[in-house]
Amino acid sequence: MPTNRHIVLLPGDGIGPEVVAEARKVLEAVAATFDRSLSFEEQLIGHAAIAATGDPLPEATLEACRRADAILLGAVGHPRYEADPTLPVRPEQGLLRLRKALALFANLRPVRLFDELLDASTLKPEVIRGTDILFFRELTGGIYFGEPRGRDEADTRARDTMTYSREEVRRIARMAFEAAGRRRRVVHSIDKANVLETSRLWRETVEEVARAYPDVALHHMYVDNAAMQLIRNPRQFDVVVTGNLFGDILTDEAAQLTGSLGMLPSASTGAKVGLYEPVHGSAPDIAGTDRANPLATILSAALMLEQSFGWTEEAEAVVAAVSQFLADGWRTPDLASEDTPSGKIVGTRRAGTLVADAVRQMVMGHA
Ligand code: IPM
Ligand code: MG
């Protein structure tokens, strides 16, 4: 019997359950074709958890995640909370607490353009062709978690605190330099050191870390300039390392380089258990309509196979299956252009089935 790997699924809200179901289909195809053993368990998070228990991260969920070999999350968020920003218990808190509790300080977001999608982006093909960037977003520090935060007593003022320790910067910077050594040996560190104290400490610390990697070139860039450079000339970037808030913003922007936010996977690591999730949100406007793109979640599952289980061949088969799906002309609505024949536009479930089938065929082709 092959060793079993236990995966906790956190479907969450909106389109989360739909895209996670398709990723599971693909993972089951991997297990069947590569003779691997996977088991699954679903737990609540986000609004779904609040609705059922009052808590966006119930104790049972956290316990299951601690015991898991890896975690796959769909999305958290619900329009109800946008309509009323004063509601104190919010879906996003579930995800933030989970990241913190599992010490997942490094969020890897690979931004790779599939050639088949050159025309799906709103940006010019000649600008985005060949884009291949690996973001390291610091995930458990910065303004997302800094204290003090909140409203003053008279409710006339609110504050958040941006804070970074040298050690927090060091550990994410080291990961970025290690990865760059295996890639094109260029690191861009993004900050706002012309204004922010935290950024000055960030820059100083990244430079200290860089000394141990003399064969990797380090460039510093202000975040406002980086936002512009990303769409001006994305190929100048290889590895990018940045703080929590800047990383959140820049990776949504970078997603557009790949054609759609529906294509961008992510892996959160740092401690024992890894958390894998698409970069996109819960998209309540299309939830339940079978129109969500499951590819970001499927590609997140591929990252899981590689990083948490060390199953390189299996991970490559999933990525190749996604390529095959696109090369065969299939498009979810977000990826379709005016030229896409309507017969090639597929829903969430069909997309998942086609990718799972491609995984099976990939292996048969091998044999
Ligand atoms: C992301 C999301 C989250 C974040 C939200 C849902 C809390 O936007 O993972 O990028 O801001 O980190
Ligand atoms: Mg975000």
Side-chain angles (χ1 to χ4, degrees), residues 245-323:
L245 179 63
F246 298 159
D248 178 48
I249 299 167
L250 292 178
T251 53
D252 259 41
E253 185 191 4
Q256 193 53 28
L257 300 167
T258 68
S260 165
L261 193 49
M263 292 303 296
L264 215 62
S266 94
S268 301
T269 63
K272 212 176 107 257
V273 193
L275 168 68
Y276 300 83
E277 54 176 309
V279 170
H280 64 68
S282 57
D285 51 323
I286 58 164
T289 65
D290 194 42
R291 276 163 60 210
N293 179 350
L295 296 180
T297 313
I298 290 170
L299 292 168
S300 300
L303 287 176
M304 167 193 290
L305 297 176
E306 187 189 326
Q307 300 201 4
S308 281
F309 307 159
W311 298 356
T312 315
E313 202 185 328
E314 288 82 346
E316 280 167 5
V318 173
V319 176
V322 170
S323 285

Side-chain angles (χ1 to χ4, degrees), residues 76 92 95-96 99 109 137 139 144 244 248 252 277 279:
V76 294
E92 291 80 3
L95 178 55
L96 297 176
R99 289 170 176 171
R109 298 188 163 184
R137 170 191 176 195
L139 202 59
Y144 270 57
N244 207 342
D248 178 48
D252 259 41
E277 54 176 309
V279 170

